[in-house]
Amino acid sequence: MDRVRKSYQYVTHLRKPGALRRALRLPKNPYWNFERILEMEKGFHVKSTFFFLQESKKLNLRAPREWGLSLGRYRFHDPEVARAIRMIDSAGWEVGLHGSFESFRDFARLSGEKHDLESVLGHPVAGVRQHYLNLEIPRTWQIQKQAGLSYDASLGLKAGVGYDGIPLFPFEPFQDEFVVLPLAVMDGALFSTVSDTSARLTALTRIVEQAEAKHALLAVLWHQRFLNPAEFPNENSVYESFLRLALEREPWVATSAQVADWWRTHVGGKGH
Ligand SMILES: [Zn+2]
């Protein structure tokens, strides 16, 4: 959940052909897709993890390339955001922490964000995925563990999809309860490396087949802004098609916290 409102993107993208026309036609807030995602997943009997981000990076007017980190940000305590967080949690989906851009190397920041999210949720947060998949190994995992988080879901590729260089299974970097859940597919990496819908589904099918053959963990990351048919008519359907083709093989589908728990109970510390 990088952003819940669309604001500066209009300004930076309006110069593209047809952008103004599209902007005027869009529903009021194209980055508010929670209800639609829950409904869609419910249809598949699937529940995922929503990682919420509280970015604190100050706006640097001289660095427009960084504006995306500052503008359009939200606080967990914003009333409509807090309502969405509680709604997702009480419906049985998982709410996790999406650590802000600098938090991967800043204990106080990460732990403050965890505390703020927990004060909205009313119970502990199990795990984290760092914004931009920022990860300094092993420092980030030490910081996360010290903050009381029990899993990390940030180990993945920013420019490529699949298991190339990505572990097939969860693992415990410190041989204890702290579990790392490797990430095999990020939507943006898929969209930027494979251009049309059918080739994207072929690539995803291949990864699903690999996961099935190896009995591997297949973790996927989707940004909620892509799950809006009006704004992303091509990209919007890919997540749903992915679920359909993956579920044909009858995998166990679970939230990140459930996967981490399963791993700790069944495999962790047993000399795999
Ligand atoms: Zn992010």
Side-chain angles (χ1 to χ4, degrees), residues 96-115:
L97 176 64
H98 193 31
S100 68
F101 189 79
E102 292 291 345
S103 71
F104 75 105
R105 55 185 174 196
D106 186 337
F107 168 74
R109 198 182 290 247
L110 187 72
S111 119
E113 292 165 11
K114 174 176 180 280
H115 178 268

mmCIF file of all heavy atoms in Angstrom, residues 96-115:
data_model
loop_
_atom_site.group_PDB
_atom_site.id
_atom_site.type_symbol
_atom_site.label_atom_id
_atom_site.label_comp_id
_atom_site.label_asym_id
_atom_site.label_seq_id
_atom_site.Cartn_x
_atom_site.Cartn_y
_atom_site.Cartn_z
ATOM 1 N N GLY A 96 0.246 -6.145 7.545
ATOM 2 C CA GLY A 96 1.659 -6.140 7.890
ATOM 3 C C GLY A 96 2.219 -4.737 7.753
ATOM 4 O O GLY A 96 1.552 -3.826 7.263
ATOM 5 N N LEU A 97 3.462 -4.569 8.193
ATOM 6 C CA LEU A 97 4.110 -3.260 8.104
ATOM 7 C C LEU A 97 4.919 -3.164 6.809
ATOM 8 O O LEU A 97 5.690 -4.063 6.482
ATOM 9 C CB LEU A 97 5.049 -3.075 9.308
ATOM 10 C CG LEU A 97 5.887 -1.792 9.311
ATOM 11 C CD1 LEU A 97 5.005 -0.547 9.393
ATOM 12 C CD2 LEU A 97 6.876 -1.801 10.482
ATOM 13 N N HIS A 98 4.701 -2.073 6.046
ATOM 14 C CA HIS A 98 5.555 -1.790 4.902
ATOM 15 C C HIS A 98 6.548 -0.735 5.387
ATOM 16 O O HIS A 98 6.209 0.438 5.470
ATOM 17 C CB HIS A 98 4.690 -1.271 3.746
ATOM 18 C CG HIS A 98 5.400 -1.231 2.429
ATOM 19 N ND1 HIS A 98 6.383 -2.122 2.091
ATOM 20 C CD2 HIS A 98 5.265 -0.401 1.361
ATOM 21 C CE1 HIS A 98 6.824 -1.837 0.867
ATOM 22 N NE2 HIS A 98 6.165 -0.797 0.408
ATOM 23 N N GLY A 99 7.744 -1.177 5.774
ATOM 24 C CA GLY A 99 8.729 -0.272 6.366
ATOM 25 C C GLY A 99 9.084 0.868 5.414
ATOM 26 O O GLY A 99 9.334 0.638 4.236
ATOM 27 N N SER A 100 9.122 2.101 5.917
ATOM 28 C CA SER A 100 9.378 3.274 5.070
ATOM 29 C C SER A 100 10.783 3.210 4.449
ATOM 30 O O SER A 100 11.617 2.399 4.859
ATOM 31 C CB SER A 100 9.227 4.559 5.886
ATOM 32 O OG SER A 100 10.268 4.633 6.838
ATOM 33 N N PHE A 101 11.035 4.084 3.487
ATOM 34 C CA PHE A 101 12.233 4.001 2.637
ATOM 35 C C PHE A 101 13.535 3.879 3.427
ATOM 36 O O PHE A 101 14.403 3.090 3.088
ATOM 37 C CB PHE A 101 12.290 5.224 1.706
ATOM 38 C CG PHE A 101 13.361 5.105 0.661
ATOM 39 C CD1 PHE A 101 13.165 4.334 -0.469
ATOM 40 C CD2 PHE A 101 14.586 5.746 0.821
ATOM 41 C CE1 PHE A 101 14.149 4.199 -1.438
ATOM 42 C CE2 PHE A 101 15.585 5.619 -0.142
ATOM 43 C CZ PHE A 101 15.365 4.843 -1.276
ATOM 44 N N GLU A 102 13.681 4.663 4.494
ATOM 45 C CA GLU A 102 14.933 4.653 5.263
ATOM 46 C C GLU A 102 14.934 3.644 6.407
ATOM 47 O O GLU A 102 15.966 3.419 7.045
ATOM 48 C CB GLU A 102 15.205 6.050 5.848
ATOM 49 C CG GLU A 102 15.535 7.124 4.802
ATOM 50 C CD GLU A 102 16.902 6.894 4.139
ATOM 51 O OE1 GLU A 102 17.716 6.103 4.667
ATOM 52 O OE2 GLU A 102 17.135 7.514 3.086
ATOM 53 N N SER A 103 13.795 3.047 6.688
ATOM 54 C CA SER A 103 13.675 2.222 7.901
ATOM 55 C C SER A 103 14.504 0.940 7.851
ATOM 56 O O SER A 103 14.748 0.339 8.886
ATOM 57 C CB SER A 103 12.207 1.891 8.174
ATOM 58 O OG SER A 103 11.710 0.986 7.223
ATOM 59 N N PHE A 104 14.929 0.541 6.659
ATOM 60 C CA PHE A 104 15.716 -0.704 6.570
ATOM 61 C C PHE A 104 17.053 -0.589 7.299
ATOM 62 O O PHE A 104 17.698 -1.603 7.583
ATOM 63 C CB PHE A 104 15.941 -1.098 5.097
ATOM 64 C CG PHE A 104 16.967 -0.277 4.372
ATOM 65 C CD1 PHE A 104 18.219 -0.808 4.094
ATOM 66 C CD2 PHE A 104 16.690 1.009 3.964
ATOM 67 C CE1 PHE A 104 19.185 -0.055 3.406
ATOM 68 C CE2 PHE A 104 17.642 1.774 3.279
ATOM 69 C CZ PHE A 104 18.892 1.233 3.014
ATOM 70 N N ARG A 105 17.469 0.658 7.600
ATOM 71 C CA ARG A 105 18.733 0.832 8.335
ATOM 72 C C ARG A 105 18.554 1.771 9.519
ATOM 73 O O ARG A 105 19.473 2.463 9.931
ATOM 74 C CB ARG A 105 19.820 1.367 7.387
ATOM 75 C CG ARG A 105 19.416 2.637 6.674
ATOM 76 C CD ARG A 105 20.454 3.056 5.656
ATOM 77 N NE ARG A 105 19.961 4.195 4.898
ATOM 78 C CZ ARG A 105 20.488 4.602 3.760
ATOM 79 N NH1 ARG A 105 21.525 3.967 3.244
ATOM 80 N NH2 ARG A 105 20.003 5.640 3.125
ATOM 81 N N ASP A 106 17.323 1.838 10.035
ATOM 82 C CA ASP A 106 17.025 2.786 11.105
ATOM 83 C C ASP A 106 16.067 2.139 12.101
ATOM 84 O O ASP A 106 14.850 2.124 11.902
ATOM 85 C CB ASP A 106 16.408 4.050 10.479
ATOM 86 C CG ASP A 106 16.185 5.163 11.490
ATOM 87 O OD1 ASP A 106 16.079 4.870 12.700
ATOM 88 O OD2 ASP A 106 16.092 6.325 11.069
ATOM 89 N N PHE A 107 16.638 1.608 13.173
ATOM 90 C CA PHE A 107 15.835 0.872 14.143
ATOM 91 C C PHE A 107 14.704 1.719 14.740
ATOM 92 O O PHE A 107 13.549 1.288 14.813
ATOM 93 C CB PHE A 107 16.715 0.321 15.281
ATOM 94 C CG PHE A 107 15.918 -0.182 16.443
ATOM 95 C CD1 PHE A 107 15.225 -1.383 16.362
ATOM 96 C CD2 PHE A 107 15.808 0.570 17.612
ATOM 97 C CE1 PHE A 107 14.455 -1.838 17.421
ATOM 98 C CE2 PHE A 107 15.034 0.115 18.675
ATOM 99 C CZ PHE A 107 14.365 -1.087 18.574
ATOM 100 N N ALA A 108 15.045 2.957 15.169
ATOM 101 C CA ALA A 108 14.050 3.797 15.849
ATOM 102 C C ALA A 108 12.868 4.077 14.926
ATOM 103 O O ALA A 108 11.704 4.053 15.333
ATOM 104 C CB ALA A 108 14.689 5.104 16.292
ATOM 105 N N ARG A 109 13.165 4.314 13.656
ATOM 106 C CA ARG A 109 12.128 4.620 12.696
ATOM 107 C C ARG A 109 11.212 3.400 12.477
ATOM 108 O O ARG A 109 9.991 3.499 12.529
ATOM 109 C CB ARG A 109 12.776 5.033 11.370
ATOM 110 C CG ARG A 109 11.850 5.765 10.436
ATOM 111 C CD ARG A 109 12.580 6.083 9.145
ATOM 112 N NE ARG A 109 13.609 7.101 9.308
ATOM 113 C CZ ARG A 109 13.539 8.316 8.766
ATOM 114 N NH1 ARG A 109 12.513 8.653 8.034
ATOM 115 N NH2 ARG A 109 14.513 9.180 8.946
ATOM 116 N N LEU A 110 11.847 2.260 12.243
ATOM 117 C CA LEU A 110 11.062 1.046 11.978
ATOM 118 C C LEU A 110 10.204 0.692 13.193
ATOM 119 O O LEU A 110 9.025 0.379 13.063
ATOM 120 C CB LEU A 110 11.982 -0.125 11.614
ATOM 121 C CG LEU A 110 11.228 -1.376 11.156
ATOM 122 C CD1 LEU A 110 10.623 -1.181 9.766
ATOM 123 C CD2 LEU A 110 12.144 -2.605 11.148
ATOM 124 N N SER A 111 10.805 0.782 14.353
ATOM 125 C CA SER A 111 10.070 0.381 15.533
ATOM 126 C C SER A 111 8.950 1.376 15.846
ATOM 127 O O SER A 111 7.873 0.990 16.291
ATOM 128 C CB SER A 111 11.063 0.100 16.653
ATOM 129 O OG SER A 111 10.912 0.860 17.713
ATOM 130 N N GLY A 112 9.159 2.668 15.549
ATOM 131 C CA GLY A 112 8.088 3.663 15.699
ATOM 132 C C GLY A 112 6.919 3.387 14.754
ATOM 133 O O GLY A 112 5.745 3.489 15.135
ATOM 134 N N GLU A 113 7.238 3.008 13.515
ATOM 135 C CA GLU A 113 6.177 2.707 12.545
ATOM 136 C C GLU A 113 5.387 1.475 12.987
ATOM 137 O O GLU A 113 4.166 1.431 12.874
ATOM 138 C CB GLU A 113 6.790 2.479 11.147
ATOM 139 C CG GLU A 113 7.366 3.756 10.556
ATOM 140 C CD GLU A 113 8.286 3.524 9.365
ATOM 141 O OE1 GLU A 113 8.337 2.387 8.852
ATOM 142 O OE2 GLU A 113 8.964 4.492 8.954
ATOM 143 N N LYS A 114 6.113 0.473 13.491
ATOM 144 C CA LYS A 114 5.439 -0.735 13.973
ATOM 145 C C LYS A 114 4.492 -0.373 15.125
ATOM 146 O O LYS A 114 3.344 -0.808 15.166
ATOM 147 C CB LYS A 114 6.488 -1.751 14.442
ATOM 148 C CG LYS A 114 5.895 -2.999 15.094
ATOM 149 C CD LYS A 114 7.009 -3.988 15.443
ATOM 150 C CE LYS A 114 6.496 -5.252 16.105
ATOM 151 N NZ LYS A 114 6.206 -5.078 17.537
ATOM 152 N N HIS A 115 4.990 0.455 16.032
ATOM 153 C CA HIS A 115 4.173 0.868 17.177
ATOM 154 C C HIS A 115 2.910 1.602 16.711
ATOM 155 O O HIS A 115 1.807 1.347 17.196
ATOM 156 C CB HIS A 115 5.014 1.744 18.106
ATOM 157 C CG HIS A 115 4.258 2.258 19.274
ATOM 158 N ND1 HIS A 115 3.602 3.474 19.270
ATOM 159 C CD2 HIS A 115 4.013 1.701 20.481
ATOM 160 C CE1 HIS A 115 3.002 3.645 20.421
ATOM 161 N NE2 HIS A 115 3.227 2.585 21.180
#
